[in-house]
Amino acid sequence: MRRTSFAQWPCSIARTMDLLGDWWTPLVLREAFYGIRRFDAFQESLGGARNTLTDRLRRLMEEGLLERRPYQTEPVRYDCVLTEKGRDF
């Protein structure tokens, strides 16, 4: 059964619940607050499927709570860092 999206509702609580509606997203945010930045560190800390973690990180970046920052150039690799919006959240 597909969940109803609240992303466009005129209520900040409904929009927040749309973002946090699954149990992985708050856990990813928690780890970011604890200082986790690298995909492998998120994976090790949380377990679970890599594709699920990838989806949650991507969604948090799209919503502006996390951002990618390069930490290596050859090959390019990124940290996932809380934004000001993410820290406020």
Side-chain angles (χ1 to χ4, degrees):
M1 181 158 78
R2 185 154 170 85
R3 186 172 62 88
T4 300
S5 174
F6 299 119
Q8 303 304 316
W9 280 38
C11 170
S12 60
I13 294 171
R15 290 190 310 270
T16 299
M17 289 312 301
D18 189 70
L19 174 61
L20 296 177
D22 67 271
W23 62 280
W24 280 105
T25 303
L27 295 176
V28 171
L29 282 173
R30 179 195 67 192
E31 296 306 302
F33 276 108
Y34 288 162
I36 301 291
R37 295 176 159 222
R38 306 239 169 111
F39 184 90
D40 290 339
F42 280 108
Q43 173 77 46
E44 183 179 322
S45 178
L46 296 170
R50 294 176 69 83
N51 62 328
T52 301
L53 178 57
T54 298
D55 290 344
R56 295 320 175 270
L57 290 170
R58 184 178 299 123
R59 176 79 190 275
L60 291 167
M61 287 180 214
E62 288 171 359
E63 295 295 330
L65 279 77
L66 292 176
E67 68 181 6
R68 287 173 37 158
R69 288 192 191 153
Y71 69 87
Q72 179 178 314
T73 56
E74 294 292 327
V76 178
R77 294 182 188 258
Y78 298 92
D79 281 340
C80 297
V81 181
L82 282 169
T83 63
E84 184 177 347
K85 179 180 178 180
R87 288 187 302 274
D88 286 346
F89 187 80

